[in-house]
Amino acid sequence: MAWTRDQMAERAAAELRDGFYVNLGIGIPTLVSNYIPAGMSVQLQSENGMLGFGPFPYEGEEDPDLINAGKQTVTEIPTTSYFSSADSFAMIRGGHIDLSILGAMQVAENGDLANWMIPGKMVKGMGGEIRGKTQASYRTALR
């Protein structure tokens, strides 16, 4: 039986450890923040240049300038900091982030990630963590 999006996010959250800095990609990874265990301190990083963001805001309290990689509104927390997307990718690719949970349009049985769009379908942006890397390196990282 196929897993739901929430089941996949909950499973990914099981990889988190106290004190981790975690990059959340687009799609299902944005749901991981809903499954951080109580009492665990995790700093969430978005590749668009935000470190230390909180949960999704309540309806009517959204700030359109505070968004995650999936263009969803998020909230600030006391430790929030901002920087350029270039610095954000340097943090990810330079090994300064403990865990990066990738968003993918499609994943093959062997772990290959597809990096494409369906003509005529709106995609808010391909995950930058996929660009510039080979699929083989991500197959290794996912195992």
Side-chain angles (χ1 to χ4, degrees), residues 29-103:
T30 63
L31 299 174
V32 169
S33 62
N34 295 334
Y35 298 99
I36 297 172
M40 182 180 284
S41 175
V42 173
Q43 293 292 316
L44 301 176
Q45 189 251 21
S46 183
E47 61 198 36
N48 59 329
M50 188 175 187
L51 176 66
F53 61 88
F56 295 114
Y58 292 109
E59 189 172 332
E61 296 180 7
E62 301 94 344
D63 180 341
D65 292 327
L66 300 178
I67 58 172
N68 63 20
K71 312 293 187 280
Q72 299 164 307
T73 54
V74 293
T75 56
E76 289 179 309
I77 59 174
T79 59
T80 299
S81 60
Y82 301 95
F83 35 85
S84 73
S85 61
D87 288 334
S88 179
F89 285 108
M91 291 168 69
I92 299 165
R93 293 178 177 154
H96 306 287
I97 298 294
D98 297 299
L99 180 65
S100 185
I101 302 177
L102 302 175

Side-chain angles (χ1 to χ4, degrees), residues 26 47 69 71 89 103-106 113-118 123-131:
I26 64 171
E47 61 198 36
K71 312 293 187 280
F89 285 108
M105 297 295 154
Q106 186 176 31
L113 298 178
N115 187 2
W116 51 270
M117 292 175 32
I118 300 171
V123 176
K124 295 180 181 178
M126 287 306 302
E129 69 273 11
I130 296 174
R131 290 190 298 259

Side-chain angles (χ1 to χ4, degrees), residues 3-16 28 31-37:
W3 287 14
T4 66
R5 294 168 53 87
D6 284 304
Q7 287 172 320
M8 288 185 264
E10 186 174 17
R11 173 58 188 92
E15 299 298 320
L16 304 177
I28 293 170
L31 299 174
V32 169
S33 62
N34 295 334
Y35 298 99
I36 297 172

